[in-house]
Amino acid sequence: MRVVVSDAEVTLADVLSLRLVIDEPLAEGTELVLRNRATAAESRVRLGVPGAEVRDATLAVSLAPLELGPGRWDTYLDQDGTRTRLRSVDPGFSLDHLDAYALSRRTLAYRAYRTRNGFLALKIDDARPAAEVRSVWFREGRFEVTGLLAFTGLDDDESRHEARLALRRSRPDAELTAIATVQGVRFHAALSLCDVVAAADQSGTWEPSLEVDGVATPLRLGSRLDDVDGKRRRLHYPAAQIDGVPIRPCYTADDELRIEVGG
């Protein structure tokens, strides 16, 4: 049986909504199978009987009751013991939708996407509150960053929240802080690079975080609400020179922002 996903989305209510184009009707007992790519664990959802004349079908599957863990889950239809992996012509999300999805406080974040070889899959992450980076640059001797507060439950309105940007380094321990601006869920922060160089008696890596009034824990700065995984390999910033010392923003393997000094 040929099956193609023409439209795929995880809604704000964590429901996987699919539109399928099929070349023959679904049989009684057809199941949607979600298979964890790393562990091979599976979850099955019985779809019912859509009808003999159907050439496309709309499916809605609530994901939270399935208790799927973090990871990447491939999707299949199982019909009469024959398993068909779901091909997709839809990338599964828009950047605007990802922003809206991140405004709610969640424990897990679900995303439908099309794999590089054209199949539908789910990506599931722990949804810890975070400061999602949208722009980062060095200018006029400052490190500046803007972005969106994700999974905090704060309203996207005109309310202002007291906040501060902190840069921390271990071995040896050091910390720098500066006042940050947070309006609703949008933030802007800046910190002097001269202060960073003055505090860096040797080469090191600084970890930025945002502390916001009303949010229980400091928010790590990272960049995950887009379609670019592996930014450490793909995204490279030019280094700034402060008193002959190179400073460069970069990302870790799990897409968290860091500031590298010297080296």
Side-chain angles (χ1 to χ4, degrees):
M1 177 177 66
R2 182 176 179 271
V3 185
V4 177
V5 177
S6 60
D7 186 73
E9 179 187 28
V10 175
T11 71
L12 299 183
D14 290 335
V15 172
L16 176 62
S17 176
L18 301 177
R19 181 174 293 278
L20 308 180
V21 177
I22 56 180
D23 60 3
E24 59 185 72
L26 300 180
E28 181 178 359
T30 297
E31 294 179 313
L32 175 69
V33 181
L34 301 172
R35 187 175 189 272
N36 187 290
R37 197 175 298 171
T39 67
E42 291 187 353
S43 182
R44 293 171 171 266
V45 179
R46 186 175 291 269
L47 301 180
V49 184
E53 300 303 321
V54 170
R55 284 298 176 265
D56 60 36
T58 300
L59 307 178
V61 177
S62 182
L63 296 173
L66 301 181
E67 298 184 348
L68 307 174
R72 295 180 186 267
W73 296 75
D74 295 314
T75 60
Y76 302 82
L77 281 186
D78 192 319
Q79 183 172 234
D80 295 330
T82 300
R83 178 173 295 193
T84 303
R85 191 173 179 187
L86 291 180
R87 289 197 168 274
S88 178
V89 295
D90 189 328
F93 64 90
S94 70
L95 297 181
D96 288 342
H97 173 81
L98 293 180
D99 281 358
Y101 186 83
L103 294 181
S104 298
R105 184 179 283 110
R106 304 173 184 275
T107 56
L108 290 175
Y110 304 89
R111 182 190 303 182
Y113 72 101
R114 185 181 59 218
T115 67
R116 291 183 181 180
N117 51 356
F119 294 103
L120 177 71
L122 283 179
K123 183 174 183 287
I124 305 177
D125 294 306
D126 290 318
R128 301 183 182 92
E132 176 72 14
V133 173
R134 289 299 158 82
S135 299
V136 56
W137 62 93
F138 292 160
R139 65 180 178 185
E140 299 177 353
R142 296 179 300 176
F143 159 64
E144 294 193 44
V145 60
T146 64
L148 171 82
L149 303 185
F151 307 118
T152 63
L154 295 178
D155 292 328
D156 187 10
D157 56 20
E158 300 301 314
S159 301
R160 290 186 174 272
H161 307 274
E162 292 187 3
R164 70 169 189 158
L165 174 71
L167 286 184
R168 294 183 177 88
R169 184 194 64 191
S170 58
R171 296 187 302 273
D173 291 341
E175 180 178 8
L176 298 170
T177 62
I179 299 298
T181 300
V182 174
Q183 182 170 320
V185 294
R186 317 290 164 172
F187 72 87
H188 172 270
L191 191 144
S192 169
L193 292 176
C194 294
D195 291 344
V196 175
V197 170
D201 25 304
Q202 61 183 33
S203 299
T205 300
W206 295 76
E207 177 181 328
S209 63
L210 195 66
E211 299 170 7
V212 181
D213 186 38
V215 179
T217 59
L219 305 177
R220 296 181 177 180
L221 271 68
S223 184
R224 298 187 176 92
L225 299 182
D226 57 27
D227 56 351
V228 182
D229 291 329
K231 292 180 178 64
R232 186 171 184 84
R233 302 187 313 273
R234 301 182 183 186
L235 187 59
H236 302 281
Y237 294 99
Q241 292 281 337
I242 303 295
D243 295 335
V245 179
I247 308 178
R248 183 194 307 272
C250 65
Y251 285 95
T252 66
D254 58 355
D255 291 336
E256 289 190 358
L257 184 66
R258 297 291 186 269
I259 307 297
E260 293 184 342
V261 179

